[in-house]
Amino acid sequence: MRAGLSGVAAAAVAVGVAELVAVLTGPLSAPLLAVGGVVVDHVPPPVKDFGVAVFGVHDKTALITGTAILLAVYAYAVGVLAVRHWRIALAGIGLFAVVGVASALTRHDAGLVAALPTLVGAGLAVVVLRYLVELAEVRGAGPPAERVLVGASAGARTATGSADDPPTPRAGASTSAYRMESRRRFLKALGIAGGVAVVSGVAGRLLTGRRAVTKARSEVVLPAARQSAPPLSAGVQAPGATPFISPNRNFYRIDTALYPPQVDPATWQLKIHGMVRNPITITWEQLLQRPMIERYVTLTCVSNEVGGDLIGNALWLGTPIKELLDEADPLPGADQVVQRSVDGWTCGTPTSILRDGRDALLAVGMNGEALPVDHGFPVRMVVPGLYGYVSACKWITEIELSRFADFDAYWVPRGWAQQGPIKTESRIDTPRDGASRSAGLVTVAGVAWAQHKGIAKVEVQVDDGPWAEATLAAVASADTWRQWSYPWQASEGEHTLRVRATDTFGQTQTSTPASPAPDGASGWHSVQVNVG
Ligand SMILES: Nc1nc2c(c(=O)[nH]1)N[C@H]1C(S)=C(S)[C@@H](COP(=O)(O)O)O[C@H]1N2
Ligand SMILES: [Mo]
């Protein structure tokens, strides 16, 4: 037990102090985040729907917690081994160091300094483990305790002449006093180790937070739009449906970043290169000089399940990417625009789509503010009509003209389709699945989307009755979701409500259920309602 705890304490000190060192070398060089990042990038591709399973915000915490628990179990075993097989324990710490350093060094753009947090941590772990195990070992069989016991028994023997006599009470008391003293010293050392781990870990996180770009972001002054979005009609909002504009703070977030990249606009640059006649590099200042437009665009994640909430609508401010691409002048055959984020993530978008005149934006603003850090500050791409994983690169720093035949972006080798047009879909927001209502008039409402095509019709079906047309809310543009509502005369009993949408191309969303991988979920959303 003591030996095991010594191992865990040594690991905690290693991880905590590594966090502190990582303040200087970057958050992703700390062993837990580095290893977590490797796990994110190498989860086996066939795992169904794993985009959501791994990348929801809470799953990131779960991943780090899981990594920490595994490490604790490992450290416990190393501690136990350390008592009799010190060299094996050393090898165990060595393995921790190798895994941590290898993970940190293979992160995108990592320099050699990325090895530092793990190395410092592992070095300290050796010292702490050695010290704690020595304190722990004293108990029971340790030499000083033996001496007290033997001496006392010998004294008793001479006094009584019997070899079988138990130790005298006095000797027994001093043994247990000794044990208590050793136990106290061990616990104290353990507490100090724990304290060092927590204090350095927390300080590391806080200091990392202070190095964040929060301040730079608050100082950004966004330019006015040359063309603002057409004013929203009050009629875009159907009563009971999700708010038409998703506030930044609860806009869905999906990415592979365990710590959101901190990109300072002062040093930000975008490089447009590859199969182009005119490679371009622009800075933040230059970007802000370009004509900016404002557009409502609804983003959707390919991992969104039928009825899911990985979809959000915002007012984006940005410069049309088409104009920049025209200036770069792509070579014939460059059918793929590879967007690359500062953390190495990539997505591939058809060049033709980015140049076909739709409002594909290199965006700097979201709902009237600079982009939130989680949503790509300072610059990201927003493309109406395509799932985020093939179009909406956050923290973008590079655009490389290429060919689909020559390059697979991040998600493609992981089992997702190269092309990702958004499927026409719809969702019931009210009543919620499992809700109860009184008989009589019940408002059914929700959203439907077919970005860049537009929604022409939404229908609702009660149980196995006929499909009835819902009332469509006002349209903002073909690039946003559209709200709908349906007045339902509900009779008592359990009912199933279904919804389906038809886009302006006359395509009705398919009833065939498909899971998100490889190119988006399909099927009709339904809810059960109890009418009493
Ligand atoms: N750099 C980077 N950009 C990224 C991703 C990512 O993992 N890394 N994920 C994409 C995916 S899958 C989606 S759905 C959208 C989500 O954008 P949001 O988090 O702002 O909603 O971002 C896209 N851009
Ligand atoms: Mo996504």
Side-chain angles (χ1 to χ4, degrees), residues 33-302:
L33 279 195
V35 172
V38 169
V39 173
V40 166
D41 287 349
H42 297 281
V43 172
V47 184
K48 184 171 148 279
D49 297 350
F50 93 95
V52 177
V54 181
F55 304 116
V57 170
H58 298 302
D59 300 302
K60 287 178 179 168
T61 317
L63 177 66
I64 295 297
T65 314
T67 311
I69 290 173
L70 276 184
L71 175 62
V73 171
Y74 177 78
Y76 193 95
V78 168
V80 170
L81 277 171
V83 178
R84 302 231 178 290
H85 310 281
W86 176 246
R87 288 183 178 200
I88 300 186
L90 270 187
I93 297 178
L95 183 62
F96 160 85
V98 168
V99 170
V101 166
S103 303
L105 287 182
T106 52
R107 302 283 76 211
H108 183 70
D109 265 357
L112 272 182
V113 290
L116 218 55
T118 304
L119 290 180
V120 172
L124 275 177
V126 172
V127 175
V128 172
L129 183 61
R130 180 86 226 185
Y131 182 72
L132 285 177
V133 162
E134 263 164 26
L135 278 186
E137 243 184 341
V138 166
R139 172 207 198 198
E146 200 73 72
R147 231 173 289 125
V148 172
L149 202 81
V150 170
S153 311
R157 230 176 279 137
T158 22
T160 64
S162 161
D164 294 323
D165 268 359
T168 61
R170 205 195 127 264
S174 77
T175 305
S176 71
Y178 183 83
R179 283 191 178 167
M180 274 177 64
E181 169 63 16
S182 108
R183 187 182 143 91
R184 206 184 53 78
R185 281 178 44 194
F186 175 75
L187 287 180
K188 188 172 158 202
L190 199 67
I192 292 175
V196 168
V198 170
V199 168
S200 57
V202 169
R205 294 263 96 189
L206 287 179
L207 289 173
T208 296
R210 288 188 53 181
R211 299 195 77 197
V213 290
T214 334
K215 184 157 169 285
R217 179 175 176 270
S218 68
E219 286 163 359
V220 165
V221 180
L222 293 178
R226 173 185 64 178
Q227 226 188 71
S228 19
L232 274 188
S233 127
V236 294
Q237 182 69 46
T242 305
F244 180 78
I245 298 171
S246 319
N248 290 356
R249 68 177 182 286
N250 39 14
F251 201 96
Y252 85 92
R253 171 189 171 195
I254 293 286
D255 54 62
T256 60
L258 288 175
Y259 187 80
Q262 306 291 313
V263 183
D264 187 345
T267 55
W268 177 88
Q269 286 199 332
L270 176 71
K271 209 167 104 183
I272 305 181
H273 66 119
M275 295 175 64
V276 294
R277 291 200 181 82
N278 290 322
I280 297 177
T281 301
I282 67 171
T283 64
W284 172 248
E285 291 301 326
Q286 290 166 336
L287 178 68
L288 295 191
Q289 300 296 315
R290 299 189 66 89
M292 294 278 163
I293 64 173
E294 239 178 352
R295 290 291 179 265
Y296 289 99
V297 177
T298 300
L299 289 192
T300 311
C301 182
V302 68

Side-chain angles (χ1 to χ4, degrees), residues 55 251-257 261 299-303 310 312 316 340-347 366 374-376 380-381 387-396 410-411:
F55 304 116
F251 201 96
Y252 85 92
R253 171 189 171 195
I254 293 286
D255 54 62
T256 60
L299 289 192
T300 311
C301 182
V302 68
S303 297
L310 298 179
W316 305 96
R340 191 170 280 114
S341 152
V342 67
D343 66 356
W345 185 85
T346 51
C347 65
M366 179 177 185
D374 282 352
H375 295 287
R380 75 171 305 166
M381 194 79 83
Y387 288 122
Y389 85 107
V390 290
S391 70
C393 188
K394 306 192 272 191
W395 315 290
I396 190 171
Y410 187 90
W411 283 111

